[in-house]
Amino acid sequence: MGRQSLPRRVDFIPQTTYFKPTGIPLPQLQEICLSVEEAEAIRLKDLERLEQEECAQKMNISRPTFSRVLGSARQKMADALLNGKAIRIEGGNFEMALSRFRCVNGHEWNVPFQVMINTPPQFCPTCNTPSIMPLQPPGVGWGRGGRGQRHGRRGWW
Ligand SMILES: [Zn+2]
């Protein structure tokens, strides 16, 4: 093998990323972490009902890999559902072809989703102006945050 595990392509980030069974006190609540690519595998296969081959292609992975991701996702969901555990959808090895940015001078570029999460762009890579804005809103309510609010600078231009 010796191949680096490439990020899986994901078209969709669920807006709700936490599911919790009712009636279980928090200290007793066990939590399962579903990665974003596992959620995507479930979405493609079980929601969109695509063939495994198609799913694998969409996610840019081999069929056996897809099958493994899907199996793990289903196993986790079953565990959560039947054993009353919470599910958190978070992290994983994936990339999104989203997040296009534009600067005040009209340059446009793409920012991989994972970069967005860790270090959102501050400057245009072409002309270095800080007057940039996303053309699409970044993922909603994603991750644990903890990045603190940015002060100052309301309005992009
Ligand atoms: Zn620019």
Side-chain angles (χ1 to χ4, degrees):
M1 293 289 223
R3 262 186 67 187
Q4 272 284 350
S5 157
L6 293 169
R8 289 77 197 262
R9 189 162 303 148
V10 165
D11 281 338
F12 178 84
I13 301 271
Q15 295 207 2
T16 303
T17 55
Y18 197 77
F19 300 87
K20 174 185 173 307
T22 56
I24 298 182
L26 264 183
Q28 282 157 40
L29 188 66
Q30 284 181 282
E31 190 177 294
I32 284 186
C33 197
L34 200 68
S35 70
V36 170
E37 68 256 30
E38 284 172 335
E40 175 76 347
I42 292 269
R43 185 182 75 87
L44 293 174
K45 186 76 191 84
D46 294 339
L47 215 55
E48 307 238 319
R49 309 191 77 80
L50 302 178
E51 296 300 322
Q52 288 224 1
E53 191 64 53
E54 257 181 292
C55 300
Q57 273 172 20
K58 275 190 179 284
M59 290 181 72
N60 207 22
I61 54 184
S62 72
R63 223 187 115 164
T65 304
F66 178 80
S67 170
R68 196 157 33 86
V69 173
L70 182 68
S72 153
R74 283 178 172 168
Q75 202 268 330
K76 287 180 181 179
M77 300 227 314
D79 184 19
L81 212 59
L82 299 173
N83 296 322
K85 298 178 183 176
I87 303 177
R88 179 190 294 284
I89 304 179
E90 184 176 72
N93 177 25
F94 69 95
E95 71 178 6
M96 253 191 137
L98 272 186
S99 301
R100 199 164 171 77
F101 276 74
R102 185 196 288 159
C103 84
V104 68
N105 296 320
H107 304 118
E108 288 187 16
W109 71 102
N110 289 318
V111 180
F113 198 72
Q114 259 179 328
V115 174
M116 272 291 296
I117 293 170
N118 296 321
T119 47
Q122 310 279 340
F123 301 97
C124 168
T126 308
C127 65
N128 272 330
T129 174
S131 300
I132 62 172
M133 66 175 222
L135 294 183
Q136 286 155 310
V140 187
W142 183 245
R144 271 173 219 259
R147 172 157 289 281
Q149 284 94 331
R150 273 218 206 78
H151 292 289
R153 295 251 348 234
R154 297 285 97 155
W156 291 92
W157 313 122

mmCIF file of all heavy atoms in Angstrom, residues 9-51:
data_model
loop_
_atom_site.group_PDB
_atom_site.id
_atom_site.type_symbol
_atom_site.label_atom_id
_atom_site.label_comp_id
_atom_site.label_asym_id
_atom_site.label_seq_id
_atom_site.Cartn_x
_atom_site.Cartn_y
_atom_site.Cartn_z
ATOM 1 N N ARG A 9 -13.849 13.197 0.263
ATOM 2 C CA ARG A 9 -14.617 14.347 -0.173
ATOM 3 C C ARG A 9 -16.027 14.296 0.412
ATOM 4 O O ARG A 9 -16.689 13.277 0.372
ATOM 5 C CB ARG A 9 -14.677 14.394 -1.692
ATOM 6 C CG ARG A 9 -15.272 15.675 -2.199
ATOM 7 C CD ARG A 9 -14.912 15.871 -3.643
ATOM 8 N NE ARG A 9 -13.473 15.858 -3.846
ATOM 9 C CZ ARG A 9 -12.894 15.399 -4.953
ATOM 10 N NH1 ARG A 9 -13.610 14.899 -5.914
ATOM 11 N NH2 ARG A 9 -11.592 15.439 -5.082
ATOM 12 N N VAL A 10 -16.443 15.400 0.909
ATOM 13 C CA VAL A 10 -17.731 15.488 1.570
ATOM 14 C C VAL A 10 -18.512 16.662 0.998
ATOM 15 O O VAL A 10 -17.984 17.749 0.868
ATOM 16 C CB VAL A 10 -17.514 15.672 3.091
ATOM 17 C CG1 VAL A 10 -18.760 16.130 3.764
ATOM 18 C CG2 VAL A 10 -17.010 14.391 3.715
ATOM 19 N N ASP A 11 -19.765 16.420 0.630
ATOM 20 C CA ASP A 11 -20.579 17.471 0.029
ATOM 21 C C ASP A 11 -21.484 18.153 1.033
ATOM 22 O O ASP A 11 -22.186 19.086 0.709
ATOM 23 C CB ASP A 11 -21.517 16.879 -1.028
ATOM 24 C CG ASP A 11 -20.782 16.621 -2.315
ATOM 25 O OD1 ASP A 11 -19.736 17.247 -2.528
ATOM 26 O OD2 ASP A 11 -21.252 15.796 -3.095
ATOM 27 N N PHE A 12 -21.502 17.637 2.197
ATOM 28 C CA PHE A 12 -22.569 18.026 3.088
ATOM 29 C C PHE A 12 -22.094 17.959 4.528
ATOM 30 O O PHE A 12 -21.504 16.976 4.930
ATOM 31 C CB PHE A 12 -23.726 17.047 2.879
ATOM 32 C CG PHE A 12 -24.908 17.287 3.776
ATOM 33 C CD1 PHE A 12 -25.867 18.224 3.432
ATOM 34 C CD2 PHE A 12 -25.052 16.580 4.956
ATOM 35 C CE1 PHE A 12 -26.962 18.437 4.252
ATOM 36 C CE2 PHE A 12 -26.146 16.788 5.779
ATOM 37 C CZ PHE A 12 -27.103 17.728 5.420
ATOM 38 N N ILE A 13 -22.334 19.016 5.255
ATOM 39 C CA ILE A 13 -22.040 19.001 6.684
ATOM 40 C C ILE A 13 -23.375 19.128 7.398
ATOM 41 O O ILE A 13 -24.096 20.091 7.176
ATOM 42 C CB ILE A 13 -21.150 20.186 7.094
ATOM 43 C CG1 ILE A 13 -19.839 20.177 6.332
ATOM 44 C CG2 ILE A 13 -20.927 20.185 8.591
ATOM 45 C CD1 ILE A 13 -18.755 19.388 6.986
ATOM 46 N N PRO A 14 -23.715 18.161 8.203
ATOM 47 C CA PRO A 14 -25.006 18.267 8.890
ATOM 48 C C PRO A 14 -25.052 19.496 9.783
ATOM 49 O O PRO A 14 -24.047 19.867 10.374
ATOM 50 C CB PRO A 14 -25.082 16.988 9.718
ATOM 51 C CG PRO A 14 -23.774 16.314 9.618
ATOM 52 C CD PRO A 14 -22.956 16.970 8.578
ATOM 53 N N GLN A 15 -26.214 20.120 9.866
ATOM 54 C CA GLN A 15 -26.324 21.318 10.685
ATOM 55 C C GLN A 15 -26.472 20.960 12.150
ATOM 56 O O GLN A 15 -26.069 21.708 13.024
ATOM 57 C CB GLN A 15 -27.522 22.145 10.238
ATOM 58 C CG GLN A 15 -27.317 22.663 8.832
ATOM 59 C CD GLN A 15 -28.083 23.932 8.581
ATOM 60 O OE1 GLN A 15 -28.747 24.449 9.463
ATOM 61 N NE2 GLN A 15 -27.987 24.443 7.378
ATOM 62 N N THR A 16 -27.125 19.856 12.389
ATOM 63 C CA THR A 16 -27.207 19.394 13.763
ATOM 64 C C THR A 16 -26.097 18.400 13.968
ATOM 65 O O THR A 16 -26.015 17.400 13.266
ATOM 66 C CB THR A 16 -28.549 18.689 14.015
ATOM 67 O OG1 THR A 16 -29.595 19.583 13.697
ATOM 68 C CG2 THR A 16 -28.664 18.267 15.456
ATOM 69 N N THR A 17 -25.249 18.664 14.918
ATOM 70 C CA THR A 17 -24.101 17.782 15.071
ATOM 71 C C THR A 17 -24.094 17.107 16.435
ATOM 72 O O THR A 17 -23.126 16.487 16.813
ATOM 73 C CB THR A 17 -22.792 18.556 14.885
ATOM 74 O OG1 THR A 17 -22.777 19.654 15.792
ATOM 75 C CG2 THR A 17 -22.677 19.073 13.481
ATOM 76 N N TYR A 18 -25.194 17.249 17.149
ATOM 77 C CA TYR A 18 -25.240 16.569 18.428
ATOM 78 C C TYR A 18 -26.626 15.999 18.678
ATOM 79 O O TYR A 18 -27.620 16.709 18.544
ATOM 80 C CB TYR A 18 -24.844 17.524 19.562
ATOM 81 C CG TYR A 18 -24.488 16.778 20.825
ATOM 82 C CD1 TYR A 18 -23.259 16.144 20.924
ATOM 83 C CD2 TYR A 18 -25.369 16.692 21.885
ATOM 84 C CE1 TYR A 18 -22.914 15.437 22.066
ATOM 85 C CE2 TYR A 18 -25.031 15.988 23.034
ATOM 86 C CZ TYR A 18 -23.804 15.360 23.120
ATOM 87 O OH TYR A 18 -23.470 14.668 24.239
ATOM 88 N N PHE A 19 -26.681 14.735 19.009
ATOM 89 C CA PHE A 19 -27.939 14.074 19.298
ATOM 90 C C PHE A 19 -27.843 13.448 20.671
ATOM 91 O O PHE A 19 -26.875 12.789 20.995
ATOM 92 C CB PHE A 19 -28.226 12.974 18.271
ATOM 93 C CG PHE A 19 -28.326 13.504 16.883
ATOM 94 C CD1 PHE A 19 -27.193 13.639 16.106
ATOM 95 C CD2 PHE A 19 -29.557 13.875 16.364
ATOM 96 C CE1 PHE A 19 -27.273 14.145 14.830
ATOM 97 C CE2 PHE A 19 -29.642 14.376 15.080
ATOM 98 C CZ PHE A 19 -28.510 14.520 14.316
ATOM 99 N N LYS A 20 -28.876 13.672 21.447
ATOM 100 C CA LYS A 20 -28.805 13.189 22.810
ATOM 101 C C LYS A 20 -30.140 12.554 23.170
ATOM 102 O O LYS A 20 -31.189 13.128 22.929
ATOM 103 C CB LYS A 20 -28.529 14.393 23.711
ATOM 104 C CG LYS A 20 -28.565 14.123 25.182
ATOM 105 C CD LYS A 20 -28.396 15.447 25.923
ATOM 106 C CE LYS A 20 -28.602 15.287 27.411
ATOM 107 N NZ LYS A 20 -29.872 14.632 27.741
ATOM 108 N N PRO A 21 -30.080 11.358 23.730
ATOM 109 C CA PRO A 21 -31.321 10.734 24.168
ATOM 110 C C PRO A 21 -31.893 11.489 25.365
ATOM 111 O O PRO A 21 -31.136 12.029 26.165
ATOM 112 C CB PRO A 21 -30.891 9.324 24.579
ATOM 113 C CG PRO A 21 -29.418 9.372 24.745
ATOM 114 C CD PRO A 21 -28.897 10.552 23.995
ATOM 115 N N THR A 22 -33.196 11.536 25.467
ATOM 116 C CA THR A 22 -33.793 12.226 26.611
ATOM 117 C C THR A 22 -33.732 11.338 27.847
ATOM 118 O O THR A 22 -33.631 10.116 27.764
ATOM 119 C CB THR A 22 -35.280 12.562 26.358
ATOM 120 O OG1 THR A 22 -35.963 11.356 26.051
ATOM 121 C CG2 THR A 22 -35.431 13.539 25.229
ATOM 122 N N GLY A 23 -33.820 11.972 28.985
ATOM 123 C CA GLY A 23 -34.001 11.239 30.231
ATOM 124 C C GLY A 23 -32.764 10.592 30.799
ATOM 125 O O GLY A 23 -32.844 9.841 31.752
ATOM 126 N N ILE A 24 -31.616 10.875 30.202
ATOM 127 C CA ILE A 24 -30.393 10.320 30.781
ATOM 128 C C ILE A 24 -29.578 11.476 31.363
ATOM 129 O O ILE A 24 -29.254 12.411 30.643
ATOM 130 C CB ILE A 24 -29.555 9.572 29.726
ATOM 131 C CG1 ILE A 24 -30.382 8.407 29.194
ATOM 132 C CG2 ILE A 24 -28.239 9.093 30.323
ATOM 133 C CD1 ILE A 24 -29.659 7.565 28.180
ATOM 134 N N PRO A 25 -29.293 11.404 32.643
ATOM 135 C CA PRO A 25 -28.517 12.492 33.235
ATOM 136 C C PRO A 25 -27.140 12.588 32.581
ATOM 137 O O PRO A 25 -26.521 11.554 32.298
ATOM 138 C CB PRO A 25 -28.375 12.088 34.716
ATOM 139 C CG PRO A 25 -29.226 10.885 34.908
ATOM 140 C CD PRO A 25 -29.595 10.325 33.569
ATOM 141 N N LEU A 26 -26.723 13.805 32.351
ATOM 142 C CA LEU A 26 -25.463 14.029 31.638
ATOM 143 C C LEU A 26 -24.268 13.216 32.145
ATOM 144 O O LEU A 26 -23.530 12.666 31.334
ATOM 145 C CB LEU A 26 -25.112 15.521 31.677
ATOM 146 C CG LEU A 26 -25.540 16.313 30.445
ATOM 147 C CD1 LEU A 26 -25.074 17.753 30.558
ATOM 148 C CD2 LEU A 26 -24.978 15.691 29.176
ATOM 149 N N PRO A 27 -24.091 13.134 33.457
ATOM 150 C CA PRO A 27 -22.903 12.393 33.924
ATOM 151 C C PRO A 27 -22.906 10.927 33.496
ATOM 152 O O PRO A 27 -21.862 10.305 33.391
ATOM 153 C CB PRO A 27 -22.983 12.500 35.458
ATOM 154 C CG PRO A 27 -23.911 13.630 35.729
ATOM 155 C CD PRO A 27 -24.835 13.728 34.555
ATOM 156 N N GLN A 28 -24.108 10.389 33.260
ATOM 157 C CA GLN A 28 -24.182 8.975 32.875
ATOM 158 C C GLN A 28 -24.216 8.786 31.367
ATOM 159 O O GLN A 28 -24.230 7.663 30.873
ATOM 160 C CB GLN A 28 -25.455 8.351 33.461
ATOM 161 C CG GLN A 28 -25.317 8.019 34.926
ATOM 162 C CD GLN A 28 -26.672 7.944 35.594
ATOM 163 O OE1 GLN A 28 -27.627 7.433 35.027
ATOM 164 N NE2 GLN A 28 -26.765 8.485 36.797
ATOM 165 N N LEU A 29 -24.277 9.904 30.689
ATOM 166 C CA LEU A 29 -24.450 9.812 29.246
ATOM 167 C C LEU A 29 -23.138 9.467 28.561
ATOM 168 O O LEU A 29 -22.135 10.132 28.728
ATOM 169 C CB LEU A 29 -24.971 11.149 28.719
ATOM 170 C CG LEU A 29 -25.386 11.154 27.260
ATOM 171 C CD1 LEU A 29 -26.595 10.262 27.044
ATOM 172 C CD2 LEU A 29 -25.704 12.568 26.830
ATOM 173 N N GLN A 30 -23.193 8.405 27.774
ATOM 174 C CA GLN A 30 -22.025 8.068 26.976
ATOM 175 C C GLN A 30 -22.183 8.678 25.597
ATOM 176 O O GLN A 30 -23.299 8.835 25.111
ATOM 177 C CB GLN A 30 -21.877 6.563 26.858
ATOM 178 C CG GLN A 30 -21.338 5.921 28.109
ATOM 179 C CD GLN A 30 -21.204 4.428 27.895
ATOM 180 O OE1 GLN A 30 -22.179 3.696 27.949
ATOM 181 N NE2 GLN A 30 -19.998 3.996 27.607
ATOM 182 N N GLU A 31 -21.069 8.967 24.999
ATOM 183 C CA GLU A 31 -21.116 9.696 23.751
ATOM 184 C C GLU A 31 -20.339 8.951 22.679
ATOM 185 O O GLU A 31 -19.279 8.392 22.939
ATOM 186 C CB GLU A 31 -20.466 11.052 24.013
ATOM 187 C CG GLU A 31 -20.625 12.036 22.905
ATOM 188 C CD GLU A 31 -20.003 13.371 23.313
ATOM 189 O OE1 GLU A 31 -20.530 14.003 24.240
ATOM 190 O OE2 GLU A 31 -18.978 13.737 22.729
ATOM 191 N N ILE A 32 -20.895 9.004 21.491
ATOM 192 C CA ILE A 32 -20.218 8.379 20.361
ATOM 193 C C ILE A 32 -19.852 9.464 19.369
ATOM 194 O O ILE A 32 -20.637 10.368 19.116
ATOM 195 C CB ILE A 32 -21.150 7.354 19.704
ATOM 196 C CG1 ILE A 32 -21.186 6.114 20.575
ATOM 197 C CG2 ILE A 32 -20.713 7.015 18.307
ATOM 198 C CD1 ILE A 32 -21.935 5.003 19.971
ATOM 199 N N CYS A 33 -18.660 9.370 18.854
ATOM 200 C CA CYS A 33 -18.235 10.390 17.908
ATOM 201 C C CYS A 33 -18.262 9.835 16.485
ATOM 202 O O CYS A 33 -17.533 8.911 16.147
ATOM 203 C CB CYS A 33 -16.839 10.879 18.275
ATOM 204 S SG CYS A 33 -16.463 12.413 17.476
ATOM 205 N N LEU A 34 -19.132 10.399 15.704
ATOM 206 C CA LEU A 34 -19.248 10.008 14.306
ATOM 207 C C LEU A 34 -18.462 11.029 13.498
ATOM 208 O O LEU A 34 -18.688 12.229 13.639
ATOM 209 C CB LEU A 34 -20.728 10.048 13.925
ATOM 210 C CG LEU A 34 -21.212 9.279 12.712
ATOM 211 C CD1 LEU A 34 -21.111 7.786 12.950
ATOM 212 C CD2 LEU A 34 -22.664 9.644 12.414
ATOM 213 N N SER A 35 -17.541 10.565 12.680
ATOM 214 C CA SER A 35 -16.780 11.537 11.898
ATOM 215 C C SER A 35 -17.638 12.052 10.748
ATOM 216 O O SER A 35 -18.637 11.444 10.378
ATOM 217 C CB SER A 35 -15.499 10.906 11.366
ATOM 218 O OG SER A 35 -15.808 9.958 10.380
ATOM 219 N N VAL A 36 -17.223 13.161 10.197
ATOM 220 C CA VAL A 36 -17.990 13.759 9.118
ATOM 221 C C VAL A 36 -18.068 12.828 7.914
ATOM 222 O O VAL A 36 -19.104 12.724 7.274
ATOM 223 C CB VAL A 36 -17.382 15.126 8.718
ATOM 224 C CG1 VAL A 36 -18.003 15.647 7.441
ATOM 225 C CG2 VAL A 36 -17.590 16.121 9.839
ATOM 226 N N GLU A 37 -16.983 12.108 7.634
ATOM 227 C CA GLU A 37 -17.064 11.209 6.477
ATOM 228 C C GLU A 37 -17.962 10.002 6.763
ATOM 229 O O GLU A 37 -18.566 9.453 5.860
ATOM 230 C CB GLU A 37 -15.685 10.785 5.974
ATOM 231 C CG GLU A 37 -14.902 9.891 6.876
ATOM 232 C CD GLU A 37 -13.804 10.667 7.588
ATOM 233 O OE1 GLU A 37 -13.996 11.869 7.827
ATOM 234 O OE2 GLU A 37 -12.773 10.061 7.905
ATOM 235 N N GLU A 38 -18.053 9.619 8.004
ATOM 236 C CA GLU A 38 -18.992 8.540 8.333
ATOM 237 C C GLU A 38 -20.429 9.016 8.136
ATOM 238 O O GLU A 38 -21.270 8.296 7.605
ATOM 239 C CB GLU A 38 -18.769 8.059 9.775
ATOM 240 C CG GLU A 38 -17.533 7.189 9.913
ATOM 241 C CD GLU A 38 -17.188 6.865 11.360
ATOM 242 O OE1 GLU A 38 -17.561 7.647 12.257
ATOM 243 O OE2 GLU A 38 -16.526 5.844 11.585
ATOM 244 N N ALA A 39 -20.687 10.252 8.573
ATOM 245 C CA ALA A 39 -22.024 10.810 8.365
ATOM 246 C C ALA A 39 -22.329 10.897 6.874
ATOM 247 O O ALA A 39 -23.435 10.596 6.426
ATOM 248 C CB ALA A 39 -22.118 12.195 9.018
ATOM 249 N N GLU A 40 -21.334 11.284 6.110
ATOM 250 C CA GLU A 40 -21.521 11.403 4.661
ATOM 251 C C GLU A 40 -21.785 10.033 4.028
ATOM 252 O O GLU A 40 -22.614 9.900 3.134
ATOM 253 C CB GLU A 40 -20.280 12.051 4.033
ATOM 254 C CG GLU A 40 -20.299 12.133 2.516
ATOM 255 C CD GLU A 40 -21.206 13.235 1.981
ATOM 256 O OE1 GLU A 40 -22.018 13.774 2.769
ATOM 257 O OE2 GLU A 40 -21.109 13.553 0.785
ATOM 258 N N ALA A 41 -21.094 9.029 4.515
ATOM 259 C CA ALA A 41 -21.297 7.673 3.985
ATOM 260 C C ALA A 41 -22.740 7.238 4.215
ATOM 261 O O ALA A 41 -23.396 6.699 3.317
ATOM 262 C CB ALA A 41 -20.323 6.695 4.651
ATOM 263 N N ILE A 42 -23.239 7.479 5.408
ATOM 264 C CA ILE A 42 -24.625 7.153 5.728
ATOM 265 C C ILE A 42 -25.578 7.931 4.830
ATOM 266 O O ILE A 42 -26.563 7.411 4.317
ATOM 267 C CB ILE A 42 -24.927 7.522 7.200
ATOM 268 C CG1 ILE A 42 -24.160 6.602 8.141
ATOM 269 C CG2 ILE A 42 -26.413 7.486 7.479
ATOM 270 C CD1 ILE A 42 -24.921 5.384 8.543
ATOM 271 N N ARG A 43 -25.253 9.199 4.651
ATOM 272 C CA ARG A 43 -26.141 10.043 3.846
ATOM 273 C C ARG A 43 -26.237 9.519 2.409
ATOM 274 O O ARG A 43 -27.327 9.360 1.864
ATOM 275 C CB ARG A 43 -25.617 11.490 3.830
ATOM 276 C CG ARG A 43 -26.541 12.461 3.113
ATOM 277 C CD ARG A 43 -25.955 13.863 3.087
ATOM 278 N NE ARG A 43 -24.871 14.002 2.139
ATOM 279 C CZ ARG A 43 -25.050 14.310 0.846
ATOM 280 N NH1 ARG A 43 -26.258 14.509 0.379
ATOM 281 N NH2 ARG A 43 -24.019 14.426 0.035
ATOM 282 N N LEU A 44 -25.083 9.242 1.828
ATOM 283 C CA LEU A 44 -25.079 8.803 0.430
ATOM 284 C C LEU A 44 -25.750 7.441 0.276
ATOM 285 O O LEU A 44 -26.553 7.233 -0.633
ATOM 286 C CB LEU A 44 -23.643 8.738 -0.096
ATOM 287 C CG LEU A 44 -22.914 10.082 -0.216
ATOM 288 C CD1 LEU A 44 -21.466 9.858 -0.593
ATOM 289 C CD2 LEU A 44 -23.613 10.977 -1.223
ATOM 290 N N LYS A 45 -25.404 6.538 1.147
ATOM 291 C CA LYS A 45 -25.879 5.167 0.974
ATOM 292 C C LYS A 45 -27.313 4.998 1.468
ATOM 293 O O LYS A 45 -28.153 4.433 0.781
ATOM 294 C CB LYS A 45 -24.952 4.203 1.733
ATOM 295 C CG LYS A 45 -25.282 2.754 1.493
ATOM 296 C CD LYS A 45 -24.788 2.321 0.115
ATOM 297 C CE LYS A 45 -25.313 0.963 -0.293
ATOM 298 N NZ LYS A 45 -26.641 0.977 -0.894
ATOM 299 N N ASP A 46 -27.595 5.484 2.656
ATOM 300 C CA ASP A 46 -28.870 5.168 3.280
ATOM 301 C C ASP A 46 -29.945 6.224 3.045
ATOM 302 O O ASP A 46 -31.129 5.935 3.132
ATOM 303 C CB ASP A 46 -28.670 4.959 4.785
ATOM 304 C CG ASP A 46 -27.811 3.718 5.050
ATOM 305 O OD1 ASP A 46 -27.734 2.856 4.159
ATOM 306 O OD2 ASP A 46 -27.224 3.633 6.130
ATOM 307 N N LEU A 47 -29.514 7.442 2.785
ATOM 308 C CA LEU A 47 -30.496 8.491 2.550
ATOM 309 C C LEU A 47 -30.718 8.695 1.057
ATOM 310 O O LEU A 47 -31.832 8.700 0.565
ATOM 311 C CB LEU A 47 -30.003 9.786 3.209
ATOM 312 C CG LEU A 47 -31.064 10.705 3.808
ATOM 313 C CD1 LEU A 47 -31.920 9.966 4.814
ATOM 314 C CD2 LEU A 47 -30.397 11.892 4.466
ATOM 315 N N GLU A 48 -29.632 8.860 0.334
ATOM 316 C CA GLU A 48 -29.759 9.043 -1.113
ATOM 317 C C GLU A 48 -29.880 7.694 -1.825
ATOM 318 O O GLU A 48 -30.179 7.638 -2.996
ATOM 319 C CB GLU A 48 -28.539 9.798 -1.641
ATOM 320 C CG GLU A 48 -28.291 11.093 -0.888
ATOM 321 C CD GLU A 48 -28.287 12.291 -1.797
ATOM 322 O OE1 GLU A 48 -27.736 12.192 -2.897
ATOM 323 O OE2 GLU A 48 -28.840 13.323 -1.389
ATOM 324 N N ARG A 49 -29.579 6.652 -1.141
ATOM 325 C CA ARG A 49 -29.694 5.298 -1.647
ATOM 326 C C ARG A 49 -28.906 5.065 -2.934
ATOM 327 O O ARG A 49 -29.367 4.429 -3.873
ATOM 328 C CB ARG A 49 -31.168 4.935 -1.853
ATOM 329 C CG ARG A 49 -32.026 5.225 -0.632
ATOM 330 C CD ARG A 49 -33.407 4.633 -0.739
ATOM 331 N NE ARG A 49 -33.390 3.204 -0.474
ATOM 332 C CZ ARG A 49 -33.357 2.669 0.732
ATOM 333 N NH1 ARG A 49 -33.318 3.440 1.782
ATOM 334 N NH2 ARG A 49 -33.375 1.374 0.893
ATOM 335 N N LEU A 50 -27.707 5.574 -2.941
ATOM 336 C CA LEU A 50 -26.833 5.335 -4.083
ATOM 337 C C LEU A 50 -26.155 3.971 -3.946
ATOM 338 O O LEU A 50 -26.090 3.406 -2.862
ATOM 339 C CB LEU A 50 -25.745 6.412 -4.145
ATOM 340 C CG LEU A 50 -26.228 7.862 -4.240
ATOM 341 C CD1 LEU A 50 -25.048 8.808 -4.249
ATOM 342 C CD2 LEU A 50 -27.076 8.056 -5.487
ATOM 343 N N GLU A 51 -25.653 3.485 -5.073
ATOM 344 C CA GLU A 51 -24.865 2.257 -5.036
ATOM 345 C C GLU A 51 -23.532 2.549 -4.355
ATOM 346 O O GLU A 51 -23.029 3.668 -4.442
ATOM 347 C CB GLU A 51 -24.586 1.764 -6.461
ATOM 348 C CG GLU A 51 -25.817 1.371 -7.232
ATOM 349 C CD GLU A 51 -26.589 0.239 -6.556
ATOM 350 O OE1 GLU A 51 -25.938 -0.676 -6.013
ATOM 351 O OE2 GLU A 51 -27.821 0.282 -6.557
#
